[in-house]
Amino acid sequence: HTELERRQDPLVAWSYVRVVNQELAAGADLADGISFLEQLPLTKRSAVLREKLADLYWARKKLSDAMDQEELALKLDPSPQQKIRLLRTLAQRRAMYGADQSAFDCYQKLLQECPDYPDLLGIYQKLLPLAQKLGKKEEAARCEREIKRLTPHDLRHLFATRAIECGVDIKTLAEWLDHKDGGALLLKRYAHLRADHSHAMAKRLTW
């Protein structure tokens, strides 16, 4: 940890996440983790630490504070997979508490900035009722068209993504999808996802 700090390595944020996870696993109160991250200067510059702080706020039922932290994290150059996770989580939480326009905007931003998101069908299915509630007839019609348009290939792409997120190794996944290249194509297409998922898993690590 000290060496990461000395080099100002971006991975030091993950080291701080590990520190918080260790303390919580040892019985520390959520408030202590929140206080630690709030006082840490790096939190203001780190999407990783902002997201962790949001998770702690949410666990403490400080819902507005949690969503505010997710908004801030989105402004701090999150990784592609973290951006997807933040937008999806924020949209779901905004919709849950009746902020329909904000939820709608998050889903729209996800579609615009992450066009390769594997579960487009799921996003349009969530957008449709929001568009209808907000009286956005053109958007509702577009959602209906997209829901009808999305193909089995999109579902195959979603399956591959979910498998990688659950830890299925590339060779096994290639066999499941009947790829004959041993996983070369999957490695090329999903390399960023594997790296981002690895970082996300590191957030849960305790020693």
Side-chain angles (χ1 to χ4, degrees), residues 96-164:
M96 187 185 309
Y97 289 95
D100 294 333
Q101 183 63 59
S102 179
F104 180 88
D105 292 342
C106 285
Y107 283 129
Q108 287 283 55
K109 187 173 182 179
L110 177 55
L111 290 174
Q112 293 166 3
E113 299 189 11
C114 311
D116 293 330
Y117 179 65
D119 190 15
L120 291 176
L121 177 60
I123 298 302
Y124 282 113
Q125 287 173 331
K126 290 179 174 65
L127 262 176
L128 177 57
L130 289 171
Q132 292 170 332
K133 287 175 66 176
L134 293 167
K136 298 179 181 291
K137 295 181 180 179
E138 290 186 6
E139 287 298 328
R142 184 171 75 91
C143 289
E144 289 174 340
R145 289 195 301 272
E146 290 298 322
I147 289 170
K148 292 178 182 178
R149 181 189 66 81
L150 289 168
T151 67
H153 178 75
D154 296 294
L155 298 178
R156 183 180 173 91
H157 184 37
L158 172 60
F159 172 77
T161 300
R162 290 286 189 268
I164 291 172

Side-chain angles (χ1 to χ4, degrees), residues 187-202:
L187 280 170
K188 181 178 180 181
R189 183 165 191 180
Y190 297 102
H192 71 284
L193 174 60
R194 294 174 72 236
D196 288 332
H197 181 61
S198 176
H199 289 160
M201 292 301 98

Side-chain angles (χ1 to χ4, degrees), residues 14-15 17-23 25-26 202 204-207:
W14 294 102
S15 184
V17 168
R18 189 185 71 176
V19 169
V20 172
N21 287 346
Q22 285 177 327
E23 293 299 315
R204 304 180 184 181
L205 185 63
T206 58
W207 295 95

Side-chain angles (χ1 to χ4, degrees), residues 67 70-71 74 86-94 106:
M67 289 184 279
E70 287 162 346
E71 293 275 13
L74 283 167
L86 285 166
L87 285 170
R88 188 177 58 199
T89 301
L90 189 56
Q92 291 170 346
R93 290 175 175 176
R94 294 291 191 197
C106 285

Side-chain angles (χ1 to χ4, degrees), residues 36-101:
F36 174 77
L37 291 176
E38 285 178 335
Q39 295 176 38
L40 189 67
L42 181 60
T43 301
K44 295 180 180 180
R45 310 190 305 274
S46 169
V48 170
L49 294 177
R50 287 283 189 188
E51 185 180 14
K52 182 62 180 179
L53 183 55
D55 290 343
L56 297 181
Y57 275 136
W58 191 263
R60 279 282 301 235
K61 310 299 182 186
K62 301 179 75 171
L63 312 182
S64 179
D65 288 337
M67 289 184 279
D68 287 345
Q69 291 299 320
E70 287 162 346
E71 293 275 13
L72 291 169
L74 283 167
K75 299 176 181 178
L76 293 173
D77 194 27
S79 70
Q81 189 65 15
Q82 186 186 13
K83 178 183 286 188
I84 289 171
R85 185 171 61 250
L86 285 166
L87 285 170
R88 188 177 58 199
T89 301
L90 189 56
Q92 291 170 346
R93 290 175 175 176
R94 294 291 191 197
M96 187 185 309
Y97 289 95
D100 294 333
Q101 183 63 59

